[in-house]
Amino acid sequence: MSGIKLIKKYPGAEKRNKAVYWPLAAIIAMLVTFALTLPLSYDESFTFNEFTSKDILTSISNYPVPNNHVFHSILTNITWAIFSFTRSEMAVRLPALLFTALSLYFIYTRFFIERLFSVLLFSVFFLLSPNIIEYAFQARGYSIQIFCGVASYFFAADPRVNQYAGFRERINAILLLSVIGMFTSPAYLYTAGAIYLIFLTINYKEIKKELVFFITTNIFYGATILLLYSPIIISQGIHQITANPYVKPNEQFSFQKVITYLGNLVDYLTLPYYIGWLILALFIWYSIKQKRYYNFYFLVVPLVLMIALKQLPFSRVFLPYGVIILLNACMAITDAVRVKTAKPVGVFKSGPAAFVLTGIFCIVSYLYFNNIHQKDDLSKAYHFKEIESPLAEHDKVYTRHLNTNWDFTEILKAYLTIKKKSNSVEIEKDFSNYNFNSSIVISTDTIPEWKVIDSTSDFLGKPIKEFEPVSSK
């Protein structure tokens, strides 16, 4: 059985509980709402402008910055080519949403074997973790990495897998998922490294027995990664991946900065308001209680790699850790409250009731995310949304003095390509040289005698104003 076939199987598959689809449907409905109503963020827009809107060859061979999550870019090339006629951000965000749905389904059916109480508990934790939600629908590669991390962790650590798969099948599945994760972003090394150490720790006896197979399999998948990245390595050099300005060693690096960073990371990964520390405590308690000491690799590996590489990655690199920590916290609570002789009643066995309960937390999550959560890059999409409406009412968009507002310009370019399949025109000459019929001008400066339609948004501290000519020029 290949690694791909193993990913399709799971313990308890013959006793499928369809009730778990209801919470999944509620969460995906909320994420789809975000995906349909929010413009692209800056990072999403850069990815779209530089890779998605072009072709697969560009995605696999151009790596100007780590924004190119290559495998994700390829998937968006495909979905944009098929669904661009919809003129919707959904055509770009579809791969991220599909992998989020796949991750949740995998968690519900593999880790919790479709026990509805555990499913509901994890769903609530997931919905109340705003930074996980932020990247669950964005057109970035983080949802792919979360799925790869969750699935790899299952095949590496869950003892039930041994009933369905041998050593060879499990190592193939883990390494296949590691290749997908690292082809999405090399930063997935932080997740792959911890999970692979877990697999080595648990399976060292099997490794001794099948040492030749183990070595050749690792060489094969290592060569696969190099082959997948070869277009970039050949055209731009390997240093573009390993030593670009975002990942090269930081000369200001210090151990004190690492400790501060890790403290902030705990607040970032799961629930807000220091509840994340309680989640981490549950993770540690459950790991000790169940003698799953290998879980502590998730605490040690980031520290070791950051010191070795002298870098402090973006916090979102560790989102797979956040989901795995939530998983273990849920299992800790489930084990603590479970009464083995009691049968589940009410919401804990009723799909529609579970949908309603999850739906309530979806509303709470949606309101908190929109109104309270301090967003990362997505905050720029919210700024853009404030002045988005007038753009749809005009055929032509002109810009003036926006050169320093590179993030706004990037978002505007993606928006116009998606919605109108056109580009804005920068006003470089006297106004008399342009035909402003049915047009709108976006500028950081005031245009005398022109009507200000909106000026509610700002980028880089400067208000963005939308003007409509009083009369055609």
Side-chain angles (χ1 to χ4, degrees):
M1 185 192 304
S2 67
I4 294 176
K5 287 183 178 179
L6 177 58
I7 293 173
K8 294 179 181 179
K9 291 193 70 175
Y10 65 96
E14 68 283 354
K15 299 178 181 179
R16 185 164 298 171
N17 179 6
K18 295 182 179 179
V20 301
Y21 291 111
W22 291 88
L24 176 61
I27 294 174
I28 295 303
M30 185 197 74
L31 295 176
V32 167
T33 301
F34 280 127
L36 287 172
T37 58
L38 282 175
L40 299 185
S41 67
Y42 167 73
D43 278 339
E44 288 180 290
S45 298
F46 183 90
T47 299
F48 177 81
N49 294 331
E50 296 298 319
F51 312 111
T52 302
S53 62
K54 295 181 180 179
D55 52 42
I56 291 179
L57 181 61
T58 301
S59 294
I60 66 173
S61 62
N62 187 23
Y63 198 83
V65 290
N67 283 60
N68 186 7
H69 292 174
V70 183
F71 180 62
H72 172 264
S73 295
I74 293 171
L75 294 180
T76 59
N77 286 137
I78 296 169
T79 57
W80 175 244
I82 297 173
F83 299 110
S84 60
F85 71 91
T86 63
R87 297 192 178 183
S88 169
E89 288 83 359
M90 180 64 76
V92 187
R93 287 171 167 160
L94 189 57
L97 284 165
L98 288 175
F99 271 92
T100 296
L102 190 57
S103 295
L104 290 171
Y105 175 76
F106 194 96
I107 289 166
Y108 295 165
T109 57
R110 271 70 163 183
F111 285 96
F112 301 140
I113 320 180
E114 300 169 338
R115 293 190 297 266
L116 201 52
F117 173 78
S118 301
V119 167
L120 284 170
L121 183 63
F122 180 84
S123 298
V124 171
F125 281 178
F126 183 88
L127 287 166
L128 298 181
S129 301
N131 291 302
I132 293 175
I133 293 295
E134 183 164 349
Y135 290 97
F137 67 89
Q138 282 195 72
R140 307 286 284 124
Y142 296 106
S143 62
I144 297 174
Q145 294 176 64
I146 287 173
F147 170 73
C148 292
V150 166
S152 297
Y153 178 62
F154 177 75
F155 294 128
D158 198 300
R160 292 167 297 174
V161 179
N162 294 328
Q163 303 171 28
Y164 294 83
F167 170 78
R168 294 191 174 196
E169 293 167 321
R170 284 180 284 124
I171 192 173
N172 271 292
I174 292 168
L175 290 177
L176 173 63
L177 290 162
S178 297
V179 167
I180 294 171
M182 292 193 68
F183 188 45
T184 301
S185 170
Y188 183 74
L189 174 66
Y190 281 93
T191 300
I195 292 173
Y196 199 55
L197 282 174
I198 290 173
F199 179 78
L200 295 180
T201 301
I202 295 175
N203 297 278
Y204 67 93
K205 292 182 179 179
E206 287 82 356
I207 291 171
K208 288 181 180 179
K209 294 178 182 177
E210 303 213 42
L211 187 59
V212 174
F213 176 81
F214 173 76
I215 293 172
T216 55
T217 302
N218 278 274
I219 291 173
F220 171 78
Y221 284 104
T224 300
I225 283 286
L226 289 175
L227 180 63
L228 291 171
Y229 275 115
S230 60
I232 293 172
I233 295 171
I234 293 170
S235 62
Q236 296 180 290
I238 195 169
H239 66 277
Q240 190 64 17
I241 299 172
T242 60
N244 65 70
Y246 295 91
V247 301
K248 69 179 182 179
N250 186 345
E251 298 300 328
Q252 309 299 321
F253 183 88
S254 68
F255 184 74
Q256 183 178 357
K257 288 184 177 180
V258 173
I259 298 302
T260 302
Y261 172 89
L262 291 175
N264 293 332
L265 189 63
V266 175
D267 293 326
Y268 177 91
L269 284 181
T270 58
L271 279 71
Y273 304 117
Y274 300 104
I275 304 175
W277 290 91
L278 176 60
I279 297 296
L280 180 62
L282 286 170
F283 168 79
I284 293 172
W285 174 75
Y286 184 72
S287 300
I288 295 173
K289 181 185 176 185
Q290 298 295 324
K291 297 183 179 180
R292 298 184 178 187
Y293 302 115
Y294 49 74
N295 276 345
F296 291 112
Y297 283 128
F298 290 114
L299 307 181
V300 175
V301 167
L303 181 63
V304 172
L305 283 178
M306 282 188 279
I307 293 174
L309 300 174
K310 291 186 177 181
Q311 62 176 222
L312 299 176
F314 292 112
S315 297
R316 51 188 179 263
V317 164
F318 294 101
L319 286 174
Y321 280 51
V323 176
I324 291 170
I325 289 171
L326 284 181
L327 270 172
N328 282 272
C330 284
M331 289 188 281
I333 295 173
T334 300
D335 284 358
V337 303
R338 182 169 50 193
V339 180
K340 295 182 179 180
T341 58
K343 294 183 179 181
V345 296
V347 71
F348 302 124
K349 69 175 183 178
S350 168
F355 178 83
V356 172
L357 182 61
T358 308
I360 291 171
F361 279 96
C362 283
I363 294 171
V364 172
S365 176
Y366 185 87
L367 293 173
Y368 177 84
F369 190 88
N370 265 330
N371 302 300
I372 301 174
H373 173 53
Q374 296 295 315
K375 300 161 193 68
D376 196 352
D377 180 60
L378 194 64
S379 62
K380 295 164 187 173
Y382 277 83
H383 287 316
F384 188 85
K385 186 175 177 62
E386 292 173 357
I387 59 173
E388 179 184 9
S389 297
L391 294 175
E393 301 170 5
H394 296 79
D395 296 329
K396 191 72 175 176
V397 177
Y398 290 88
T399 60
R400 185 169 182 261
H401 298 165
L402 291 180
N403 292 335
T404 58
N405 292 269
W406 45 268
D407 48 357
F408 178 85
T409 304
E410 205 73 49
I411 294 173
L412 177 64
K413 181 180 178 182
Y415 172 85
L416 292 175
T417 303
I418 291 173
K419 300 294 186 182
K420 299 176 181 290
K421 295 190 176 180
S422 64
N423 294 314
S424 61
V425 176
E426 175 71 16
I427 299 174
E428 298 176 339
K429 302 176 183 178
D430 186 86
F431 277 37
S432 60
N433 292 285
Y434 300 91
N435 180 2
F436 292 111
N437 283 327
S438 189
S439 65
I440 187 173
V441 176
I442 302 176
S443 175
T444 55
D445 298 333
T446 298
I447 304 176
E449 300 180 359
W450 282 43
K451 177 183 176 183
V452 178
I453 302 175
D454 201 302
S455 60
T456 57
S457 185
D458 68 84
F459 281 73
L460 303 179
K462 284 189 175 183
I464 300 293
K465 303 174 184 177
E466 292 176 303
F467 296 91
E468 189 174 54
V470 175
S471 60
S472 299
K473 302 230 176 185

